[in-house]
Amino acid sequence: MALKRLLTEFGMGSSLRRQDYTEAASRAVRDALWHNSINLAELYGKDKSDMQITVEVGVQTPEALDPAEIAKLFPYGQVQVIARKGGLDVPRGDGGKPTVIANVAISVALDLEDAT
């Protein structure tokens, strides 16, 4: 297998009041993806389901993230979600739950060994 990373996109998302790390990460994924329309697989004679998609999510509490919910955002490809310590929790002056900021890096790779 000649797996080759071809694309990396970055995004940021937030949860203003609910301290919902999964929602903040979902918004970060949308931020990264919804600005693009890249027909990457077709350029190499591959099917979209062949794409190997790695989503690295940075949040202050990685164990609070639901990777399965993040993976559902992708309509095709083989998705792996990796939660890491990162992002930012911004304290609120009114004593409420902090605003949560998530960062994502989405990488797309294909096996190009037999690409046309």
Side-chain angles (χ1 to χ4, degrees):
M1 182 187 300
L3 198 61
K4 179 89 171 163
R5 181 170 53 176
L6 300 171
L7 173 74
T8 302
E9 288 290 338
F10 304 98
M12 186 200 77
S14 63
S15 174
L16 297 177
R17 300 193 184 279
R18 293 185 299 134
Q19 198 175 5
D20 186 334
Y21 292 97
T22 299
E23 184 58 33
S26 295
R27 290 174 177 158
V29 166
R30 288 184 198 103
D31 179 52
L33 294 180
W34 273 231
H35 296 102
N36 297 292
S37 177
I38 300 168
N39 298 319
L40 191 62
E42 292 90 344
L43 289 174
Y44 292 94
K46 300 285 187 173
D47 190 76
K48 291 178 181 180
S49 64
D50 295 328
M51 294 191 308
Q52 304 287 319
I53 301 169
T54 303
V55 183
E56 296 183 66
V57 181
V59 290
Q60 282 293 296
T61 309
E63 59 275 8
L65 186 76
D66 184 348
E69 284 299 311
I70 303 304
K72 287 180 187 177
L73 296 170
F74 295 85
Y76 38 73
Q78 300 163 44
V79 181
Q80 176 187 22
V81 178
I82 302 166
R84 301 191 185 284
K85 178 92 169 153
L88 185 64
D89 284 359
V90 181
R92 293 172 42 105
D94 64 4
K97 293 180 179 179
T99 295
V100 169
I101 299 174
N103 297 102
V104 299
I106 302 169
S107 300
V108 179
L110 284 169
D111 179 1
L112 297 180
E113 191 167 327
D114 62 346
T116 57

